[in-house]
Amino acid sequence: MINSTVKLGHNVVIKEGVIIGENVIIEDNVYIDYGCIIRDNVHIRKGSFIGARSILGEYLMDFYKDKVNKAHPLIIGENALIRTENVIYGDTIIGDNFQSGHKVTIRENTKIGNNAKIGTLSDIQHCCSIGNYVSIHSNVFVGEESKINDYVWIFPHVVITNDPTPPSDKLIGVTIEDFAIIAARSVLLPGVHIHEDALIGAGAIVTKDVAKETVAVGNPAKEICSVRKIKNKFTGEQVYPWRYTFKRGMPWKDSDYETWYNGLSI
Amino acid sequence: MINSTVKLGHNVVIKEGVIIGENVIIEDNVYIDYGCIIRDNVHIRKGSFIGARSILGEYLMDFYKDKVNKAHPLIIGENALIRTENVIYGDTIIGDNFQSGHKVTIRENTKIGNNAKIGTLSDIQHCCSIGNYVSIHSNVFVGEESKINDYVWIFPHVVITNDPTPPSDKLIGVTIEDFAIIAARSVLLPGVHIHEDALIGAGAIVTKDVAKETVAVGNPAKEICSVRKIKNKFTGEQVYPWRYTFKRGMPWKDSDYETWYNGLSI
Amino acid sequence: MINSTVKLGHNVVIKEGVIIGENVIIEDNVYIDYGCIIRDNVHIRKGSFIGARSILGEYLMDFYKDKVNKAHPLIIGENALIRTENVIYGDTIIGDNFQSGHKVTIRENTKIGNNAKIGTLSDIQHCCSIGNYVSIHSNVFVGEESKINDYVWIFPHVVITNDPTPPSDKLIGVTIEDFAIIAARSVLLPGVHIHEDALIGAGAIVTKDVAKETVAVGNPAKEICSVRKIKNKFTGEQVYPWRYTFKRGMPWKDSDYETWYNGLSI
């Protein structure tokens, strides 16, 4: 099953039915569960877990023309936790500590930073850029050319579009700045720019840019107030910007945002 | 393939490529199609069908830390019809006569009653409660802590949320009472309470509780009338409460709701 | 693995782990990737590619009653490109040059024309009719009884419904005429008729018919203008009807719509 072009680290677990192509590198302590297909030129860095029946290094369009797999390397960073049945294309790079749900699709020429999470059924199209500590929940569609910066939260069933006059060949991706929050089921129209710490309400249809620290809701979405006006239902305390009130999984989880940030600047 | 800790009933069919873990109980007349993965501590009750490549007893988060599978039992009730590529976690209980579409995900600590149906691609998060005779259609997202009572209908692409100030650690689940109907593509915001026989219109964004037998539509959803005012387009007859006009698959299918209900009370 | 009732053409590639049922016809130059399940009575025409772990000829409801697979033939036209993990039922016919994304579901008694495309996660229910050169993007739900004519574009997360008073047994499918465009995340309510060259805006909830060459947006959707008023953001030129401004993948790709159309009429 494993050919001579594969480089295997120490303590690698490969369960039954896994298929491994050529020029594959699997570093130490990687665990590959039942029935995965690892196509050519995939590099899985140390400590990563690849869930059952995931397909890594999936074919790009050129394969289908002549059934010859060209060099389209995929790199999966250290300590990934990829759940079952993900399909991740070649020519993509994923940073360290990545986590995904089940049945996620990530296409080619996409770059994902460190500590990113992508939920079950989400579909990340090609030529996207996703930053560090980005959390994308279940069944989000991220269209081609989207640029998502760091610490962004995207909740279930959000759709990020890119074609102002469909069908066309002139796509304009959406940009989402650091710390922005896109609530469930909202739609971002082509080319909109969501600024830092903005909050897009559930089900909003966002047709225009949304300013920094601003809440936008409705169809079409309208800016209604500063995020600083939103109170926690239980405590009555200010919630946003969330970096000051939420720390689970964040680099400031052991202290607080300000302490951590000041430590960085030293 | 089958180890000595597995208890197999009579007339069990296990097709090629099925992987079965430890302490698994498979009762009489169960059929397990090609390539399923049955992890440890799964109990499949009699007469159930498990579709190709389904994964039962899927790992919880603790597995990924040390790659040791702790005891997280999953029980599938009698006569289930689970279609292909479902992923159902451990620590969950599913009642009798369950039916699912393709590629459904059901997470841990969730309890599903008898005669429930869940459609293709639906994603049921952890710590949910789903009653008897609940019908959930395709690609519905049911967030953590949701409580769905009996005879509820949820149509395609509905999203049920739970975090009032995302991201946060204080989730408040939605509650849906008996006989309520949630039409396609609507969104229920955290903590809303949908009362008995209410009807949520397609695409509604529900931000507040909806009263018994009331229709709510729009973004944000507004209560517009009693469900009793809605007429069938063909016959002009009153449609709701639907228990008096619809019987397919219901316990009153051979008579009518009132006769059945009166029989129960005797 | 391959029984005597299977007819295999020349130059067929069948990768590891493929399961093939009875009365299957696989024509010349077909490529079947790892782990596909081809159930009985499937006919794959020449030059088609079947992505890893796709299931063709999937069981209909009658199978589950007695575990006997009746004759429900599936025909896949020439030169299909079916990506991984599609599930396509029996009693369905797909034309030539079909392309699909990953994890697509297509149910029974559905007819799809030539040169159609269906994106990742889309779910096509039974008894639908989909024309030639139809492009359905990611995660679209097409309800039972939908009728989609030729050259229609449907963008991500659109939901096409069919039950005016759910739950009921009286479904009325949606009809979409040639060249219409349904933008992302919109919902078409039961029985609506979208006329030729109409454009449904992103996130619209369409409750009534939409006239020819008309733009409809909002919840509930309102007709706001002629499609002829929409300008390209970059060039300021008229965009719609799109057949005059877009040609990629279309039969008029080497000239223009008028030249091609006039050539047809000769």
Side-chain angles (χ1 to χ4, degrees), chain B:
Chain B
M1 197 82 82
I2 295 183
N3 64 71
S4 64
T5 65
V6 174
K7 289 185 193 155
L8 271 191
H10 296 286
N11 193 29
V12 167
V13 175
I14 297 180
K15 304 291 282 187
E16 240 177 284
V18 172
I19 289 163
I20 300 182
E22 306 209 332
N23 300 312
V24 168
I25 303 173
I26 301 175
E27 296 190 3
D28 298 349
N29 302 309
V30 164
Y31 186 117
I32 303 182
D33 205 4
Y34 299 109
C36 286
I37 300 173
I38 315 293
R39 304 207 194 265
D40 303 344
N41 305 302
V42 173
H43 181 169
I44 305 174
R45 299 192 60 197
K46 62 186 180 188
S48 288
F49 177 93
I50 312 299
R53 300 207 194 97
S54 287
I55 301 178
L56 301 186
E58 177 59 345
Y59 299 135
L60 274 66
M61 199 67 197
D62 58 1
F63 175 80
Y64 301 107
K65 293 178 186 152
D66 55 11
K67 310 297 188 300
V68 175
N69 198 4
K70 287 84 187 173
H72 295 296
L74 165 67
I75 301 172
I76 305 284
E78 299 183 3
N79 300 313
L81 192 181
I82 292 176
R83 286 186 177 77
T84 71
E85 304 150 301
N86 282 220
V87 177
I88 308 181
Y89 280 53
D91 281 346
T92 271
I93 299 178
I94 297 179
D96 295 341
N97 307 313
F98 177 67
Q99 284 195 26
S100 68
H102 304 279
K103 303 181 168 78
V104 168
T105 307
I106 301 172
R107 285 190 49 185
E108 71 274 17
N109 296 314
T110 279
K111 188 170 184 318
I112 299 179
N114 296 321
N115 302 289
K117 296 183 181 183
I118 299 183
T120 292
L121 297 174
S122 283
D123 178 8
I124 313 298
Q125 294 283 301
H126 46 303
C127 304
C128 291
S129 155
I130 295 178
N132 300 308
Y133 289 96
V134 168
S135 293
I136 294 179
H137 215 290
S138 293
N139 211 344
V140 169
F141 177 82
V142 177
E144 197 181 337
E145 305 283 355
S146 298
K147 180 162 174 30
I148 300 172
N149 287 333
D150 300 338
Y151 305 104
V152 167
W153 293 85
I154 303 182
F155 288 93
H157 287 233
V158 165
V159 171
I160 301 180
T161 68
N162 55 22
D163 187 349
T165 54
S168 88
D169 290 316
K170 300 238 176 113
L171 306 182
I172 328 177
V174 162
T175 301
I176 307 178
E177 299 287 0
D178 295 357
F179 300 104
I181 306 141
I182 318 296
R185 173 58 53 75
S186 48
V187 182
L188 306 184
L189 290 195
V192 301
H193 196 137
I194 308 297
H195 288 274
E196 211 171 297
D197 283 303
L199 170 58
I200 308 303
I205 309 292
V206 183
T207 60
K208 294 188 294 194
D209 295 355
V210 176
K212 190 176 166 178
E213 293 195 5
T214 303
V215 181
V217 302
N219 174 9
K222 286 179 185 153
E223 297 187 347
I224 55 164
C225 65
S226 163
V227 298
R228 292 178 183 263
K229 295 215 168 158
I230 296 178
K231 307 296 182 199
N232 179 302
K233 281 194 182 181
F234 302 100
T235 63
E237 287 168 358
Q238 185 180 318
V239 176
Y240 301 104
W242 65 265
R243 70 189 96 164
Y244 302 108
T245 60
F246 183 83
K247 54 172 76 173
R248 180 165 42 85
M250 294 296 141
W252 54 88
K253 67 181 191 297
D254 297 324
S255 58
D256 58 58
Y257 177 75
E258 294 223 322
T259 309
W260 170 80
Y261 184 79
N262 291 333
L264 285 186
S265 337
I266 288 164

Side-chain angles (χ1 to χ4, degrees), chain C residues 114-115 132-134 150-152 178-179 196 242-266:
Chain C
N114 296 322
N115 303 289
N132 301 309
Y133 289 96
V134 168
D150 300 338
Y151 305 105
V152 167
D178 295 358
F179 300 103
E196 210 171 297
W242 64 266
R243 69 188 97 165
Y244 302 108
T245 59
F246 183 84
K247 53 172 76 175
R248 178 164 44 85
M250 294 296 140
W252 55 89
K253 68 180 190 299
D254 297 324
S255 59
D256 59 58
Y257 176 77
E258 294 223 323
T259 307
W260 170 80
Y261 183 80
N262 291 334
L264 285 185
S265 340
I266 288 162

